[in-house]
Structure formats: C-alpha cells, structure tokens
Amino acid sequence: MSSTQAFIDEAAKIYKVLSNSTRLNILYYLRHYDGEADVKTIVNDLHLAQPIVSKQLGILYRYQLVSRHKEGTRVYYALDDPHVIEMIDDMLKHVKHEIKGEPHPRNLYK
C-alpha cells in the first residue's frame, strides 16, 4: 500500500469518528469552552449521561482529536491541536453556507 493510500485510509477513519453527532457536539463544546473541561462539566452542560460522554471522549482521545490529563479522580479534556480546531471551524462554516443557501467562496485553484 502506498503512503498516500495509508494517509487516505487514516483520514477516512477519522471522518468516520466525526460522523457521530454526540462526538461533534463534544468537540464543538470543547472548541468554545475556556480551557480544559472535566467530564462532569461536559455531562452537566451538554445534558448527556456520564457513560456516554466518557465513551465518546475515549474514542476522540484514541484518534488524537482531544487531549486529556488526570488530576485526582477527575479527567480534563481539551482541544489542543490547531488542525482539529480548524477542521471543526471549517466544517461549521460549510454547514452555515448550506443552511443559508449562500454560495461558497470562489475556488482557490483558479
């Protein structure tokens, strides 16, 4: 398998991870949260069950979409990769264009 194909296959795995609305909701939340958020805060603010949040954060962590550290019994999560932040922001910009029916920016390659 070529290195290009390996990159494409890995990107497809990450997009599959991002196809879950709960995971996107958590990423969006972390994108706009000031600093690191512990699981309890995420659970309370998003009104989701703790096991669901913990499972989804584990998946996001496994694919390096969030970072985490532990203090005592609490685990704190954050977005610390600018690529992930740009990816979330760009996707939301795309969705806003679609919802509003606005044209997308001109093709950059012309």
Side-chain angles (χ1 to χ4, degrees):
M1 179 184 327
S2 72
S3 62
T4 300
Q5 188 61 49
F7 283 130
I8 290 170
D9 291 346
E10 190 61 27
K13 288 178 192 175
I14 292 170
Y15 277 112
K16 187 174 180 180
V17 168
L18 294 173
S19 70
N20 178 287
S21 62
T22 300
R23 290 191 283 266
L24 282 176
N25 196 18
I26 292 169
L27 289 170
Y28 182 81
Y29 174 82
L30 291 172
R31 169 67 177 103
H32 296 283
Y33 191 81
D34 188 23
E36 299 176 319
D38 67 333
V39 174
K40 184 177 179 180
T41 301
I42 297 168
V43 165
N44 290 338
D45 289 351
L46 295 182
H47 308 289
L48 296 169
Q50 184 273 324
I52 292 171
V53 170
S54 292
K55 179 179 179 178
Q56 301 311 322
L57 285 167
I59 293 167
L60 293 170
Y61 178 76
R62 185 169 44 246
Y63 284 90
Q64 299 178 4
L65 297 169
V66 296
S67 62
R68 70 180 180 197
H69 80 275
K70 195 171 185 177
E71 289 182 16
T73 59
R74 291 188 175 199
V75 181
Y76 292 85
Y77 290 86
L79 298 179
D80 67 348
D81 182 341
H83 297 111
V84 174
I85 294 169
E86 289 173 19
M87 186 172 45
I88 293 167
D89 288 349
D90 287 345
M91 179 53 70
L92 292 174
K93 287 176 190 173
H94 173 76
V95 170
K96 286 178 184 177
H97 277 108
E98 292 298 317
I99 289 171
K100 292 179 180 179
E102 295 176 353
H104 294 285
R106 294 258 183 230
N107 187 338
L108 300 176
Y109 300 105
K110 285 186 178 183

